[in-house]
Amino acid sequence: GCHDELCESNIEKLSLFGVQIVNEYQKMLNCIIAPKKLRTVKFLNALSFHPLEYVISPDFITHLIKNIDSGENPVNNVNVELYKIKDISDEVLEKTKMNNKLFDRAYISNINIASDVPGSLDTISSILMNHGIKEVQRLSKKPFLTNNHPHKKILLQNGKMIHPPKCVIISGNNPTLRKWKKTWNEQNDGSGDGLLIVSWDWCVGNIFQLDVDYNEKENV
């Protein structure tokens, strides 16, 4: 939303000096400008940029425009490091250089979304798919989407050994959880093995860290 305060002439000035302000998500971008870490669609999508090189505050743009308007070289006395958002670590930025995406690294390819999850299915799907999910479906009477990997112990890139889930469901409330557990058991000869039911907060937290934490239980 920072661009909303920029007039067309300032956007044009910035573009002449190599700073392109883009309103919509595009994969070729490498920077987020925001006041802090946000749960917005744009911010979550932008964490999938390959690579994401900069996460900086709007003050960076203000400084550039001030220098341009005063006739100075716009990059004089502008140290990008001074404008970095503290909420996103260098470690997270390094993960954006990896060849595979967040959910690829966690062996999650497909996700089911319950109808009680707030938000548009298209919006949620776009965020998940930008981070490596291949297919998303709204839960109904269809069989659950399952993940495309053998259900055996796998070594993650962070060094942990895990049994990746066979099926992941994003749900919103506890009564619904019991329904999905029962349906999964019925479809799997009474076994609940391999089912992971999480809240949207679980997905957001992992996207912020660009690492799926299978030990985190708060939003599971």
Side-chain angles (χ1 to χ4, degrees):
C2 307
H3 68 281
D4 294 339
E5 298 178 4
L6 289 175
C7 62
E8 288 296 324
S9 63
N10 278 338
I11 291 175
E12 181 63 25
K13 288 175 188 176
L14 289 167
S15 70
L16 292 174
F17 288 97
V19 179
Q20 183 182 6
I21 304 294
V22 177
N23 192 5
E24 297 301 326
Y25 170 82
Q26 296 178 25
K27 290 186 178 180
M28 57 76 164
L29 303 177
N30 68 350
C31 175
I32 307 174
I33 299 172
K36 60 182 179 179
K37 182 168 67 178
L38 302 170
R39 289 175 60 102
T40 62
V41 174
K42 284 184 182 179
F43 199 101
L44 294 173
N45 276 331
L47 283 169
S48 73
F49 290 166
H50 187 267
L52 174 62
E53 297 185 75
Y54 307 103
V55 183
I56 54 180
S57 77
D59 292 339
F60 174 77
I61 296 299
T62 303
H63 195 155
L64 289 184
I65 292 173
K66 183 178 178 181
N67 280 2
I68 292 170
D69 289 342
S70 65
E72 296 181 37
N73 183 327
V75 297
N76 280 353
N77 303 316
V78 177
N79 181 354
V80 177
E81 294 295 315
L82 298 178
Y83 300 95
K84 288 171 61 174
I85 295 176
K86 306 296 185 193
D87 294 337
I88 302 295
S89 68
D90 290 339
E91 181 184 5
V92 169
L93 294 182
E94 281 298 311
K95 290 173 186 173
T96 68
K97 299 176 183 178
M98 293 181 172
N99 292 327
N100 49 3
K101 296 287 188 177
L102 164 66
F103 292 109
D104 290 329
R105 299 195 297 272
Y107 294 90
I108 300 175
S109 58
N110 302 319
I111 282 182
N112 304 273
I113 300 181
S115 58
D116 61 1
V117 175
S120 155
L121 178 63
D122 288 344
T123 299
I124 294 172
S125 297
S126 71
I127 295 170
L128 294 172
M129 294 176 84
N130 282 327
H131 286 280
I133 293 299
K134 303 298 185 294
E135 190 175 352
V136 177
Q137 83 168 3
R138 180 77 79 184
L139 279 177
S140 61
K141 293 182 179 179
K142 300 177 184 177
F144 295 157
L145 282 177
T146 55
N147 288 307
N148 301 324
H149 59 71
H151 188 56
K152 63 181 182 180
K153 274 203 167 184
I154 292 175
L155 180 65
L156 298 180
Q157 287 181 319
N158 60 15
K160 292 179 182 176
M161 291 289 294
I162 57 114
H163 271 107
K166 291 181 184 177
C167 175
V168 178
I169 298 174
I170 302 174
S171 189
N173 60 60
N174 289 329
T176 309
L177 301 187
R178 289 191 287 273
K179 171 186 174 183
W180 301 131
K181 286 179 182 178
K182 180 180 177 182
T183 305
W184 173 257
N185 290 346
E186 290 170 352
Q187 293 180 7
N188 290 272
D189 301 321
S191 172
D193 185 42
L195 178 64
L196 176 64
I197 304 179
V198 299
S199 69
W200 176 241
D201 286 343
W202 183 86
C203 298
V204 171
N206 288 322
I207 290 172
F208 279 152
Q209 297 301 319
L210 291 183
D211 187 30
V212 170
D213 183 3
Y214 282 113
N215 293 322
E216 196 268 314
K217 302 301 181 185
E218 182 179 353
N219 295 307
V220 174

